[in-house]
């Protein structure tokens, strides 16, 4: 199995007003985006070319959205986001860049 192109852990994944997991994982590997629970169970996955990702206006600092198989998920970073004023790219920007690089449709941030 190839090395993942993007991995984030401790991600809060929500669908609508419902929290799916508070410490999930987001992976992009072999051209496929996968959302996982904290236990590694797959929530949803699709080829990156079929995924739409963006940064909604209401997301605040570091949040992003991803539409996978017609289902829209709101993704919030865990501990991996740099604190305000600290160096480093925000999680949402890294995620959107990874989706774009892998061939998906990511809105400009």
């Amino acid at each position: 199995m190839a090395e993942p192109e993007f991995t984030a852990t401790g991600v809060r994944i929500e669908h609508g007003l419902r929290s799916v997991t508070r410490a999930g994982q987001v992976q992009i590997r072999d051209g496929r985006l996968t959302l996982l629970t904290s236990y590694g169970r797959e929530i949803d996955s699709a080829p990156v070319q079929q995924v739409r990702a963006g940064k909604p206006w209401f997301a605040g600092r570091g949040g992003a959205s991803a539409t996978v198989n017609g289902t829209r998920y709101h993704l919030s970073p865990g501990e991996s986001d740099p604190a305000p004023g600290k160096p480093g790219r925000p999680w949402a920007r890294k995620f959107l860049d990874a989706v774009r690089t892998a061939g998906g449709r990511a809105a400009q941030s």
Side-chain angles (χ1 to χ4, degrees):
M1 189 174 269
E3 193 69 23
E5 297 146 31
F6 176 83
T7 300
T9 57
V11 178
R12 182 180 191 99
I13 301 173
E14 299 171 323
H15 169 59
L17 297 175
R18 185 175 75 90
S19 176
V20 179
T21 184
R22 294 185 307 177
Q25 299 175 42
V26 177
Q27 289 185 348
I28 298 175
R29 179 191 313 246
D30 298 329
R32 189 166 191 85
L33 178 118
T34 306
L35 304 176
L36 303 164
T37 66
S38 56
Y39 298 107
R41 185 178 61 86
E42 186 175 300
I43 297 167
D44 210 342
S45 72
V48 177
Q49 292 82 6
Q50 297 175 7
V51 172
R52 287 185 46 206
K55 185 168 175 21
W57 63 270
F58 59 83
R61 188 181 187 294
S65 67
T67 303
V68 182
N69 295 322
T71 303
R72 186 172 179 153
Y73 297 95
H74 178 69
L75 312 171
S76 301
E79 304 289 326
S80 61
D81 220 23
K86 298 288 184 186
R89 290 189 317 162
W91 179 89
R93 178 160 300 216
K94 288 187 246 182
F95 171 68
L96 295 174
D97 288 347
V99 169
R100 195 175 299 111
T101 300
R105 294 176 289 168
Q108 297 294 325
S109 59

